[in-house]
Amino acid sequence: MAADTSLGDEVATEAVRYDVVSGSVAVITLNRPERLNSWGADISAGVYANFDRAEADPAIRAIVLTGSGKGFCAGAYMGSMAALGESIDGDTDVSKIVGERHPHFLTALRKPVIAAINGACVGIGLTHALMCDVRFAAAGAKFATAFPRRGLIGEYGITWILPRLAGWGAAADLLLSGRTFLAEEAVQLGLVKEVVAPDDLLARAVEYAEDLARNCSPASMAVIKRQLYGDANDAVVDVSARAETLMHESMVRPDLVEGITAFFEKRPPDFPPLKEGC
């Protein structure tokens, strides 16, 4: 059965929308469709504020990130060619475009982030998408790193995350060539979980997020996210030792009793909301 994607409790901003679905899933929508939601100061400020809002709200258990119109995020917004020329000749502070946080801030959130990639996903837009925990893409959506074709380099952690998702050889191809590839190739490379008909994309991503919100312990998901990204560069012996400590901690939380009881009673679990320190 398809998820109910009627977006309630809407709090709109000009560049980024925030909606709550089913009381437990936040949908954050980049809302500059006239420029394919290319990343600029307006979008970055809205994104940070809305992710902070979702992270702080105990009722929100999963987050969906998507774009309005035909683009997810078509790279950095450079404005007019005249403005671009002025920035190259004078101030080269790219943080004015990128914003105060690098895309890897998404990996540090305690709640799962699901990307619903509805269209063009390029450059820093691709980096943000890859830093989400799970990705769905609309059929035919176009992806590209694009950096070498603009005289740029692999930015803001994409050279860290892309090889981990697609493997070294595929990452080298995509980064060195900057070529355009479609969602259908992205799923084969492991960059997205599923390719979905465009009209069904948001419903499918929300349905997935609702399943996490309904059936998974918020505390467990928060710790697992920390494990996933924190363990990436460590030796397996160290990772296993840390996991043993974390397992003991999880066994004294009420989530374990509720999870086992719900399983034996054949009912959905009623996990407590996420607390500080998890």
Side-chain angles (χ1 to χ4, degrees), residues 126-150:
L126 177 59
T127 305
H128 278 92
L130 297 180
M131 294 295 181
C132 294
D133 302 306
V134 180
R135 287 154 295 280
F136 294 84
K142 293 182 179 181
F143 295 72
T145 65
F147 306 124
R149 299 188 180 221
R150 306 293 182 269

Side-chain angles (χ1 to χ4, degrees), residues 77-163:
Y77 179 58
M78 296 298 188
S80 67
M81 288 302 295
L84 177 58
E86 290 174 5
S87 69
I88 293 173
D89 292 337
D91 185 2
T92 58
D93 183 4
V94 295
S95 67
K96 292 181 178 179
I97 297 174
V98 174
E100 63 189 28
R101 305 181 200 178
H102 289 193
H104 64 74
F105 87 92
L106 294 168
T107 69
L109 297 176
R110 298 181 302 159
K111 300 176 182 181
V113 182
I114 316 304
I117 302 168
N118 54 300
C121 184
V122 179
I124 197 168
L126 177 59
T127 305
H128 278 92
L130 297 180
M131 294 295 181
C132 294
D133 302 306
V134 180
R135 287 154 295 280
F136 294 84
K142 293 182 179 181
F143 295 72
T145 65
F147 306 124
R149 299 188 180 221
R150 306 293 182 269
L152 297 170
I153 53 84
E155 65 184 7
Y156 298 108
I158 195 170
T159 53
W160 182 87
I161 191 68
L162 186 54

Side-chain angles (χ1 to χ4, degrees), residues 262-276:
F263 174 77
F264 281 112
E265 294 180 354
K266 295 181 171 55
R267 61 169 175 81
D270 183 19
F271 291 118
L274 190 61
K275 296 180 180 179
E276 291 298 328

Side-chain angles (χ1 to χ4, degrees), residues 1-276:
M1 182 176 179
D4 177 8
T5 57
S6 56
L7 301 183
D9 189 26
E10 181 173 352
V11 178
T13 64
E14 188 176 354
V16 180
R17 294 204 317 267
Y18 184 94
D19 304 282
V20 176
V21 181
S22 302
S24 59
V25 175
V27 179
I28 297 174
T29 306
L30 309 186
N31 193 36
R32 289 296 196 211
E34 71 280 359
R35 66 180 203 230
L36 296 179
N37 301 312
S38 53
W39 190 268
D42 54 349
I43 282 182
S44 65
V47 163
Y48 303 148
N50 284 312
F51 270 105
D52 288 347
R53 176 182 180 182
E55 180 82 341
D57 186 347
I60 298 301
R61 300 193 173 199
I63 305 167
V64 174
L65 177 64
T66 192
S68 60
K70 297 182 179 180
F72 175 77
C73 177
Y77 179 58
M78 296 298 188
S80 67
M81 288 302 295
L84 177 58
E86 290 174 5
S87 69
I88 293 173
D89 292 337
D91 185 2
T92 58
D93 183 4
V94 295
S95 67
K96 292 181 178 179
I97 297 174
V98 174
E100 63 189 28
R101 305 181 200 178
H102 289 193
H104 64 74
F105 87 92
L106 294 168
T107 69
L109 297 176
R110 298 181 302 159
K111 300 176 182 181
V113 182
I114 316 304
I117 302 168
N118 54 300
C121 184
V122 179
I124 197 168
L126 177 59
T127 305
H128 278 92
L130 297 180
M131 294 295 181
C132 294
D133 302 306
V134 180
R135 287 154 295 280
F136 294 84
K142 293 182 179 181
F143 295 72
T145 65
F147 306 124
R149 299 188 180 221
R150 306 293 182 269
L152 297 170
I153 53 84
E155 65 184 7
Y156 298 108
I158 195 170
T159 53
W160 182 87
I161 191 68
L162 186 54
R164 284 167 169 77
L165 294 174
W168 195 271
D173 162 39
L174 298 178
L175 286 165
L176 291 172
S177 71
R179 65 181 178 84
T180 298
F181 58 102
L182 301 181
E184 289 72 15
E185 182 178 358
V187 75
Q188 294 176 351
L189 293 173
L191 299 182
V192 301
K193 171 178 165 50
E194 294 176 19
V195 175
V196 184
D199 290 344
D200 298 331
L201 175 67
L202 184 57
R204 177 66 184 108
V206 168
E207 179 184 49
Y208 183 91
E210 285 179 324
D211 178 67
L212 300 185
R214 186 169 51 246
N215 295 307
C216 298
S217 160
S220 294
M221 291 191 293
V223 173
I224 289 169
K225 277 199 65 169
R226 194 163 74 240
Q227 289 179 285
L228 273 171
Y229 299 107
D231 292 348
N233 292 315
D234 289 345
V236 66
V237 172
D238 298 326
V239 169
S240 185
R242 277 201 304 272
E244 184 176 9
T245 299
L246 293 169
M247 179 62 74
H248 286 303
E249 292 174 358
S250 72
M251 293 178 73
V252 300
R253 284 196 292 266
D255 303 59
L256 177 63
V257 174
E258 173 59 19
I260 293 174
T261 302
F263 174 77
F264 281 112
E265 294 180 354
K266 295 181 171 55
R267 61 169 175 81
D270 183 19
F271 291 118
L274 190 61
K275 296 180 180 179
E276 291 298 328

